[in-house]
Amino acid sequence: MSLQQQVTQEFERRFGETPAFVVRAPGRVNLIGEHTDYNDGFVLPMAINRAVWMAVRPRDDQQVTAHSLDFDETVVFPLTDLQDEDAGWVEYIRGVAWALQEADYALAGWESVVAGDVPIGAGLSSSAALEMATARAFAAVSDLPWEPKVMAKLGQRAENEWVGMNCGIMDQMISAVGKADHALLIDCRSLETQSVPLPPDTVVVVLDTDTRRGLVDSAYNERRTQCEAAAEFFGVPALRDVSIEQFEARAGELDVLTRRRARHVVTENARTLQAAGAMRQGDAGALGQLMNASHASLRDDFEVSSDALNAIVDCARQEDVCFGARMTGAGFGGCAVALVRQDAAQPFTEHVTVCYQSATGLTPSTYICTATAGASVV
Ligand code: GLA
């Protein structure tokens, strides 16, 4: 049974009628452009065929009731008195309610059944998917205009200020704005987007290392601070404003660590723009090379990879059908992404699984992904 059917059936069982709306918001995988979003730079993610689904109907009081099939838990809270209770998944829903109200939207209450198949904590943006599904649900029941970029920014605000994770705009943007069969080149300063197709006869494969790192948040914030210091050194608002030439002219004046961090961001922005160009030309080989270079930069200059990520990337690249592979998302654990010949994707995942198991003793999960649309009422 599909997740759409599951949330619909459970909704009918609990509430005795068909839902007024079913909404869906996807997780994402980033093809290239890592740790560039909070530097006002470029990212190139795609929304994937794994999502959060909500069956929902409005209530005429100011109450929200959400039942999660995944956690087998029901939560109830009033919109009139939002309190952060640090209560897990519900804080993403509550945080979005808070951010929408802070932006002066008049919200109706609702009741819903929620389920998802974005693996949690794997770096595929399960939290952004829940945030954007929540925003879509509020918009549907409260009859608000659906403005995906505005909603993405409010989702980011919920994540930053309610949940307390200081993320950039990429995850909420792609979950809100994603296009079927395309990746999106996002300018994280202007929020302009361009859709770019995957090269013909290729497919994106996500490789989950089965490792999670607890210290991601502090390392992430540390990288942000280092990038801000580098931007200040160059006298610009963000590292987005530094070209490779400008960087090289003054790199010698920077301390070693700041130089490495800045070099990653400056070169990654350039690679991301080149990658979009390669995709438009249908050049899988060029895109794969750029992904490989991105991994090296994240590993050596930005220092956010891990042994497990390096091992799975090596296994992927050993296969001739792989055009390129890199870690994806914040790093330190979670997933890698590979661009693979479409007709060979299944055996590719099997070979990588065997290789990674023998290298690390861990069992990876693999997902052959298609690019889907962003948050929508289905
Ligand atoms: C996490 C954050 C994003 C982005 C990536 C790194 O996924 O949520 O905003 O910074 O890390 O590219």
Side-chain angles (χ1 to χ4, degrees):
M1 202 177 10
S2 71
L3 283 178
Q4 180 175 1
Q5 290 166 326
Q6 284 179 44
V7 295
T8 304
Q9 272 191 14
E10 181 63 17
F11 186 96
E12 286 164 355
R13 203 184 66 75
R14 285 177 175 262
F15 302 114
E17 66 171 21
T18 50
F21 307 98
V22 176
V23 302
R24 164 196 170 276
R28 65 98 186 91
V29 62
N30 190 19
L31 301 183
I32 194 164
E34 214 68 80
H35 289 275
T36 45
D37 62 351
Y38 54 81
N39 291 295
D40 278 3
F42 298 94
V43 294
L44 190 47
M46 73 181 211
I48 58 174
N49 51 328
R50 289 182 164 260
V52 170
W53 293 80
M54 292 170 83
V56 58
R57 75 174 177 193
R59 293 175 59 106
D60 46 23
D61 55 10
Q62 288 276 291
Q63 188 163 294
V64 170
T65 298
H67 178 79
S68 161
L69 284 178
D70 303 313
F71 295 98
D72 190 22
E73 188 187 355
T74 304
V75 293
V76 180
F77 63 86
L79 286 171
T80 45
D81 180 27
L82 295 174
Q83 304 283 345
D84 191 339
E85 292 168 16
D86 208 4
W89 62 277
V90 66
E91 298 307 340
Y92 296 95
I93 297 180
R94 206 163 7 216
V96 169
W98 169 80
L100 287 165
Q101 290 187 328
E102 287 284 298
D104 284 336
Y105 287 103
L107 300 184
W110 44 263
E111 48 208 1
S112 81
V113 173
V114 188
D117 60 0
V118 189
I120 292 172
L124 299 178
S125 293
S126 56
S127 54
L130 179 54
E131 287 155 4
M132 290 301 99
T134 301
R136 195 68 200 83
F138 269 118
V141 302
S142 317
D143 207 15
L144 307 175
W146 179 248
E147 297 171 290
K149 292 179 187 178
V150 175
M151 293 295 166
K153 283 184 118 167
L154 292 173
Q156 184 198 14
R157 183 162 184 212
E159 179 100 27
N160 291 166
E161 294 180 41
W162 193 271
V163 177
M165 160 64 191
N166 204 16
C167 65
I169 191 64
M170 167 168 70
D171 307 343
Q172 290 79 12
M173 263 297 280
I174 186 65
S175 184
V177 185
K179 291 266 177 308
D181 303 323
H182 290 77
L184 276 195
L185 176 66
I186 303 173
D187 178 333
C188 295
R189 174 171 279 166
S190 67
L191 296 192
E192 272 163 32
T193 64
Q194 291 172 33
S195 35
V196 277
L198 285 176
D201 307 320
T202 63
V203 72
V204 168
V205 181
V206 169
L207 307 165
D208 186 347
T209 59
D210 190 34
T211 59
R212 309 283 182 258
R213 273 291 183 79
L215 290 175
V216 185
D217 279 16
S218 56
Y220 187 91
N221 288 336
E222 184 188 72
R223 296 301 181 285
R224 284 192 73 139
T225 308
Q226 291 164 338
C227 289
E228 281 158 21
E232 195 171 323
F233 167 81
F234 283 100
V236 292
L239 280 178
R240 142 73 173 273
D241 301 303
V242 179
S243 69
I244 292 182
E245 295 70 32
Q246 286 165 334
F247 169 77
E248 277 168 359
R250 295 195 61 197
E253 297 168 50
L254 285 165
D255 67 90
V256 179
L257 198 66
T258 312
R259 186 191 315 157
R260 281 203 214 123
R261 302 299 189 249
R263 183 165 55 202
H264 166 69
V265 175
V266 169
T267 58
E268 184 79 351
N269 272 326
R271 279 187 291 271
T272 305
L273 292 171
Q274 287 169 24
M279 288 176 78
R280 286 195 198 95
Q281 315 229 307
D283 191 341
L287 176 58
Q289 289 304 313
L290 290 160
M291 292 169 73
N292 291 345
S294 168
H295 184 79
S297 179
L298 288 157
R299 182 191 59 207
D300 302 336
D301 276 346
F302 217 61
E303 296 182 281
V304 292
S305 190
S306 68
D307 291 346
L309 283 164
N310 296 337
I312 211 159
V313 162
D314 282 346
C315 288
R317 289 191 198 154
Q318 281 171 28
E319 301 301 312
D320 290 343
V321 297
C322 177
F323 295 101
R326 57 181 286 276
M327 57 151 279
T328 185
F332 300 102
C335 294
V337 59
L339 185 72
V340 179
R341 236 176 57 198
Q342 186 158 30
D343 59 1
Q346 190 57 44
F348 168 80
T349 60
E350 286 154 21
H351 294 157
V352 171
T353 299
V354 171
C355 171
Y356 181 70
Q357 271 171 337
S358 78
T360 63
L362 296 165
T363 302
S365 303
T366 61
Y367 309 104
I368 299 170
C369 293
T370 54
T372 66
S376 50
V377 176
V378 296

